[in-house]
Amino acid sequence: MSDVEPWAMRWQIRGDRAACHEVIDLVQSALTNADLGDTVAFAVRLALEEALANAVRHGHIGDESRTIEVFAEISSCSVRLEVADEGTGFDPSSVPDPTADENLTIASGRGLSLIRAFMTDVKVVPPGNRIVMNYIP
Amino acid sequence: MTNQWNHIQVSHEGGIVLVCLLDKHILDELTIREIGEELDQVLADAPSPHVVLDFSDVEHLSSSALGMLITLNSRLQDRDGGLCLVNVGEPIGEVFRITRLDRVLSSVSDLAEARAILLGDE
């Protein structure tokens, strides 16, 4: 890993595909500049994609005109992401475990589970419309 | 062999429908929906319900894409067929293991092995 200046940015975006991709691309570029490696890049991209998708699909019930707040902070030793939507939130303990035998063939409900698996530390902030994700290589 | 699709390349090989996924990133809802629609059309015309999905070019996969694969697998099983994945690299393989979908979706190293699983060939 190289020792580069920490990079941080905050966005308020519409929850549409173009705006989400613009943020994802900027974060990917910052990850490349920080030289954190492919494993980190994969984990962070997956987490950000899933968090944004959850914000639009569940937080905003598919309404792409509503605003999503995104924060990203990347240094040579850590990555921090925050995604907040305008929805009413949810209780993460109410999400069925997608890895339970009885849920393996259900087609949805794996986003949060993947985020938790690939990021080091994940917190859903009450009332559940903000997710904070940290990756520490 | 035909390639009339935007996201997949399709060939038919001895009772198997071989579908190569052409996108490196199968992440966003629109791409996944379009892949699903293309697969729907392929399966509507296909004489065989045995499908091999080639992941050689795929570098990223989202939970929505996993959902599409589960739905495809269920539909093929309803037709007494099946789905088999080939050339799943890392870290995509880790996604399947973490979600335990490696218990639902067969993943093998090559087409011959996939054919053996789907058709019972030696």
Short mmCIF file of all heavy atoms in Angstrom, two decimals, chain B residues 81-116:
data_model
loop_
_atom_site.label_atom_id
_atom_site.label_comp_id
_atom_site.label_asym_id
_atom_site.label_seq_id
_atom_site.Cartn_x
_atom_site.Cartn_y
_atom_site.Cartn_z
N GLY B 81 -34.98 -29.78 -15.95
CA GLY B 81 -33.62 -29.50 -16.39
C GLY B 81 -32.77 -29.04 -15.25
O GLY B 81 -33.02 -29.40 -14.09
N GLY B 82 -31.77 -28.24 -15.57
CA GLY B 82 -30.90 -27.75 -14.51
C GLY B 82 -29.96 -26.68 -15.00
O GLY B 82 -29.85 -26.41 -16.19
N LEU B 83 -29.30 -26.07 -14.03
CA LEU B 83 -28.35 -24.99 -14.30
C LEU B 83 -27.00 -25.37 -13.71
O LEU B 83 -26.93 -25.89 -12.60
CB LEU B 83 -28.84 -23.69 -13.65
CG LEU B 83 -27.91 -22.47 -13.71
CD1 LEU B 83 -27.74 -22.00 -15.16
CD2 LEU B 83 -28.45 -21.34 -12.84
N CYS B 84 -25.96 -25.11 -14.47
CA CYS B 84 -24.61 -25.36 -13.97
C CYS B 84 -23.73 -24.17 -14.33
O CYS B 84 -23.85 -23.62 -15.43
CB CYS B 84 -24.06 -26.64 -14.60
SG CYS B 84 -22.76 -27.40 -13.66
N LEU B 85 -22.89 -23.74 -13.41
CA LEU B 85 -22.00 -22.60 -13.63
C LEU B 85 -20.59 -23.10 -13.92
O LEU B 85 -20.14 -24.06 -13.28
CB LEU B 85 -21.97 -21.68 -12.41
CG LEU B 85 -23.32 -21.38 -11.72
CD1 LEU B 85 -23.09 -20.45 -10.52
CD2 LEU B 85 -24.31 -20.78 -12.69
N VAL B 86 -19.92 -22.47 -14.87
CA VAL B 86 -18.52 -22.84 -15.14
C VAL B 86 -17.64 -21.60 -15.12
O VAL B 86 -18.11 -20.48 -15.34
CB VAL B 86 -18.34 -23.57 -16.50
CG1 VAL B 86 -19.08 -24.89 -16.50
CG2 VAL B 86 -18.77 -22.70 -17.66
N ASN B 87 -16.37 -21.84 -14.84
CA ASN B 87 -15.35 -20.77 -14.85
C ASN B 87 -15.67 -19.63 -13.89
O ASN B 87 -15.50 -18.46 -14.21
CB ASN B 87 -15.16 -20.23 -16.27
CG ASN B 87 -14.68 -21.30 -17.23
OD1 ASN B 87 -13.80 -22.09 -16.89
ND2 ASN B 87 -15.25 -21.34 -18.42
N VAL B 88 -16.16 -19.99 -12.72
CA VAL B 88 -16.41 -19.00 -11.68
C VAL B 88 -15.09 -18.74 -10.94
O VAL B 88 -14.58 -19.61 -10.24
CB VAL B 88 -17.48 -19.47 -10.68
CG1 VAL B 88 -17.66 -18.45 -9.55
CG2 VAL B 88 -18.80 -19.71 -11.39
N GLY B 89 -14.53 -17.56 -11.13
CA GLY B 89 -13.26 -17.25 -10.48
C GLY B 89 -13.46 -16.63 -9.11
O GLY B 89 -14.58 -16.50 -8.62
N GLU B 90 -12.35 -16.25 -8.51
CA GLU B 90 -12.41 -15.52 -7.23
C GLU B 90 -12.32 -14.03 -7.54
O GLU B 90 -11.64 -13.66 -8.49
CB GLU B 90 -11.27 -15.96 -6.32
CG GLU B 90 -11.35 -17.41 -5.90
CD GLU B 90 -12.61 -17.74 -5.11
OE1 GLU B 90 -13.19 -16.84 -4.47
OE2 GLU B 90 -13.03 -18.90 -5.17
N PRO B 91 -13.01 -13.23 -6.76
CA PRO B 91 -13.75 -13.52 -5.52
C PRO B 91 -15.23 -13.82 -5.74
O PRO B 91 -15.97 -13.92 -4.77
CB PRO B 91 -13.58 -12.24 -4.71
CG PRO B 91 -13.48 -11.17 -5.72
CD PRO B 91 -12.83 -11.76 -6.94
N ILE B 92 -15.65 -14.03 -7.01
CA ILE B 92 -17.06 -14.37 -7.22
C ILE B 92 -17.41 -15.68 -6.50
O ILE B 92 -18.49 -15.81 -5.90
CB ILE B 92 -17.35 -14.54 -8.73
CG1 ILE B 92 -16.99 -13.25 -9.49
CG2 ILE B 92 -18.81 -14.92 -8.96
CD1 ILE B 92 -18.05 -12.27 -9.65
N GLY B 93 -16.48 -16.61 -6.54
CA GLY B 93 -16.72 -17.88 -5.86
C GLY B 93 -16.98 -17.67 -4.38
O GLY B 93 -17.80 -18.37 -3.77
N GLU B 94 -16.28 -16.69 -3.80
CA GLU B 94 -16.48 -16.39 -2.38
C GLU B 94 -17.90 -15.88 -2.13
O GLU B 94 -18.49 -16.16 -1.08
CB GLU B 94 -15.45 -15.36 -1.91
CG GLU B 94 -15.40 -15.20 -0.41
CD GLU B 94 -14.34 -14.22 0.04
OE1 GLU B 94 -13.62 -13.67 -0.80
OE2 GLU B 94 -14.26 -14.00 1.26
N VAL B 95 -18.43 -15.13 -3.08
CA VAL B 95 -19.81 -14.63 -2.95
C VAL B 95 -20.77 -15.82 -2.85
O VAL B 95 -21.67 -15.85 -2.01
CB VAL B 95 -20.19 -13.72 -4.13
CG1 VAL B 95 -21.68 -13.40 -4.11
CG2 VAL B 95 -19.36 -12.45 -4.12
N PHE B 96 -20.57 -16.82 -3.70
CA PHE B 96 -21.44 -18.00 -3.66
C PHE B 96 -21.27 -18.78 -2.35
O PHE B 96 -22.24 -19.28 -1.78
CB PHE B 96 -21.14 -18.92 -4.85
CG PHE B 96 -21.68 -18.40 -6.15
CD1 PHE B 96 -20.83 -17.91 -7.13
CD2 PHE B 96 -23.05 -18.37 -6.41
CE1 PHE B 96 -21.32 -17.43 -8.33
CE2 PHE B 96 -23.55 -17.88 -7.60
CZ PHE B 96 -22.69 -17.41 -8.56
N ARG B 97 -20.03 -18.85 -1.85
CA ARG B 97 -19.81 -19.60 -0.60
C ARG B 97 -20.40 -18.85 0.59
O ARG B 97 -21.04 -19.45 1.46
CB ARG B 97 -18.31 -19.85 -0.40
CG ARG B 97 -17.73 -20.86 -1.39
CD ARG B 97 -16.33 -21.28 -0.98
NE ARG B 97 -15.37 -20.19 -1.07
CZ ARG B 97 -14.75 -19.81 -2.17
NH1 ARG B 97 -15.00 -20.43 -3.31
NH2 ARG B 97 -13.89 -18.82 -2.16
N ILE B 98 -20.19 -17.53 0.64
CA ILE B 98 -20.70 -16.74 1.76
C ILE B 98 -22.22 -16.84 1.85
O ILE B 98 -22.79 -16.93 2.94
CB ILE B 98 -20.26 -15.27 1.62
CG1 ILE B 98 -18.79 -15.14 1.97
CG2 ILE B 98 -21.12 -14.33 2.47
CD1 ILE B 98 -18.19 -13.78 1.60
N THR B 99 -22.85 -16.80 0.70
CA THR B 99 -24.32 -16.85 0.68
C THR B 99 -24.84 -18.28 0.75
O THR B 99 -26.05 -18.50 0.78
CB THR B 99 -24.86 -16.19 -0.60
OG1 THR B 99 -24.23 -16.79 -1.74
CG2 THR B 99 -24.57 -14.69 -0.60
N ARG B 100 -23.93 -19.24 0.75
CA ARG B 100 -24.24 -20.69 0.75
C ARG B 100 -25.00 -21.11 -0.52
O ARG B 100 -25.62 -22.18 -0.54
CB ARG B 100 -25.03 -21.10 2.01
CG ARG B 100 -24.20 -20.94 3.29
CD ARG B 100 -24.97 -21.43 4.50
NE ARG B 100 -25.04 -22.87 4.56
CZ ARG B 100 -26.17 -23.55 4.81
NH1 ARG B 100 -27.30 -22.89 5.02
NH2 ARG B 100 -26.17 -24.86 4.85
N LEU B 101 -24.92 -20.29 -1.53
CA LEU B 101 -25.58 -20.69 -2.78
C LEU B 101 -24.78 -21.75 -3.52
O LEU B 101 -25.27 -22.31 -4.51
CB LEU B 101 -25.80 -19.45 -3.68
CG LEU B 101 -26.87 -18.50 -3.14
CD1 LEU B 101 -27.05 -17.30 -4.07
CD2 LEU B 101 -28.21 -19.23 -2.98
N ASP B 102 -23.57 -22.02 -3.05
CA ASP B 102 -22.82 -23.15 -3.63
C ASP B 102 -23.53 -24.47 -3.33
O ASP B 102 -23.24 -25.48 -3.95
CB ASP B 102 -21.38 -23.17 -3.11
CG ASP B 102 -21.28 -23.20 -1.60
OD1 ASP B 102 -22.27 -22.83 -0.92
OD2 ASP B 102 -20.21 -23.58 -1.09
N ARG B 103 -24.50 -24.43 -2.39
CA ARG B 103 -25.29 -25.63 -2.10
C ARG B 103 -26.50 -25.77 -3.02
O ARG B 103 -27.11 -26.83 -3.10
CB ARG B 103 -25.80 -25.60 -0.65
CG ARG B 103 -24.67 -25.65 0.36
CD ARG B 103 -25.22 -25.81 1.75
NE ARG B 103 -24.12 -26.12 2.66
CZ ARG B 103 -24.22 -26.95 3.67
NH1 ARG B 103 -25.35 -27.56 3.92
NH2 ARG B 103 -23.19 -27.18 4.45
N VAL B 104 -26.84 -24.67 -3.68
CA VAL B 104 -28.02 -24.66 -4.54
C VAL B 104 -27.62 -24.69 -6.01
O VAL B 104 -28.28 -25.34 -6.83
CB VAL B 104 -28.87 -23.38 -4.26
CG1 VAL B 104 -30.07 -23.31 -5.18
CG2 VAL B 104 -29.31 -23.35 -2.80
N LEU B 105 -26.54 -23.99 -6.33
CA LEU B 105 -26.11 -23.85 -7.72
C LEU B 105 -24.80 -24.63 -7.92
O LEU B 105 -23.82 -24.36 -7.25
CB LEU B 105 -25.90 -22.38 -8.06
CG LEU B 105 -27.12 -21.46 -7.87
CD1 LEU B 105 -26.70 -19.99 -7.95
CD2 LEU B 105 -28.17 -21.77 -8.92
N SER B 106 -24.81 -25.56 -8.86
CA SER B 106 -23.61 -26.33 -9.15
C SER B 106 -22.60 -25.46 -9.88
O SER B 106 -22.95 -24.76 -10.83
CB SER B 106 -23.95 -27.54 -10.02
OG SER B 106 -24.86 -28.38 -9.38
N SER B 107 -21.36 -25.51 -9.43
CA SER B 107 -20.30 -24.76 -10.09
C SER B 107 -19.14 -25.71 -10.34
O SER B 107 -18.64 -26.33 -9.40
CB SER B 107 -19.85 -23.59 -9.22
OG SER B 107 -18.81 -22.88 -9.84
N VAL B 108 -18.73 -25.83 -11.62
CA VAL B 108 -17.67 -26.77 -11.98
C VAL B 108 -16.64 -26.06 -12.85
O VAL B 108 -16.82 -24.90 -13.24
CB VAL B 108 -18.25 -28.01 -12.70
CG1 VAL B 108 -19.18 -28.78 -11.78
CG2 VAL B 108 -18.97 -27.60 -13.98
N SER B 109 -15.58 -26.80 -13.17
CA SER B 109 -14.45 -26.13 -13.82
C SER B 109 -14.59 -26.05 -15.34
O SER B 109 -14.00 -25.17 -15.95
CB SER B 109 -13.14 -26.82 -13.46
OG SER B 109 -13.21 -28.19 -13.79
N ASP B 110 -15.32 -26.98 -15.95
CA ASP B 110 -15.39 -26.92 -17.42
C ASP B 110 -16.71 -27.52 -17.93
O ASP B 110 -17.50 -28.09 -17.18
CB ASP B 110 -14.20 -27.65 -18.06
CG ASP B 110 -14.08 -29.09 -17.61
OD1 ASP B 110 -15.13 -29.75 -17.46
OD2 ASP B 110 -12.95 -29.55 -17.40
N LEU B 111 -16.89 -27.39 -19.23
CA LEU B 111 -18.15 -27.81 -19.87
C LEU B 111 -18.37 -29.31 -19.75
O LEU B 111 -19.50 -29.77 -19.57
CB LEU B 111 -18.14 -27.37 -21.34
CG LEU B 111 -19.41 -27.66 -22.14
CD1 LEU B 111 -20.63 -27.01 -21.50
CD2 LEU B 111 -19.25 -27.16 -23.58
N ALA B 112 -17.30 -30.09 -19.86
CA ALA B 112 -17.44 -31.55 -19.77
C ALA B 112 -18.02 -31.97 -18.42
O ALA B 112 -18.91 -32.83 -18.34
CB ALA B 112 -16.09 -32.21 -20.01
N GLU B 113 -17.52 -31.34 -17.38
CA GLU B 113 -18.02 -31.65 -16.04
C GLU B 113 -19.47 -31.19 -15.87
O GLU B 113 -20.29 -31.89 -15.26
CB GLU B 113 -17.12 -30.98 -14.99
CG GLU B 113 -17.15 -31.64 -13.64
CD GLU B 113 -16.16 -31.02 -12.67
OE1 GLU B 113 -15.20 -30.35 -13.12
OE2 GLU B 113 -16.35 -31.19 -11.47
N ALA B 114 -19.76 -30.03 -16.44
CA ALA B 114 -21.14 -29.52 -16.38
C ALA B 114 -22.08 -30.46 -17.12
O ALA B 114 -23.18 -30.78 -16.64
CB ALA B 114 -21.20 -28.13 -17.00
N ARG B 115 -21.65 -30.93 -18.28
CA ARG B 115 -22.47 -31.86 -19.06
C ARG B 115 -22.72 -33.14 -18.26
O ARG B 115 -23.83 -33.69 -18.28
CB ARG B 115 -21.76 -32.19 -20.38
CG ARG B 115 -22.56 -33.11 -21.30
CD ARG B 115 -21.66 -33.63 -22.41
NE ARG B 115 -21.10 -32.54 -23.19
CZ ARG B 115 -21.76 -31.90 -24.16
NH1 ARG B 115 -22.98 -32.26 -24.46
NH2 ARG B 115 -21.18 -30.94 -24.84
N ALA B 116 -21.69 -33.62 -17.57
CA ALA B 116 -21.84 -34.84 -16.78
C ALA B 116 -22.89 -34.66 -15.69
O ALA B 116 -23.69 -35.55 -15.42
CB ALA B 116 -20.49 -35.23 -16.18
#
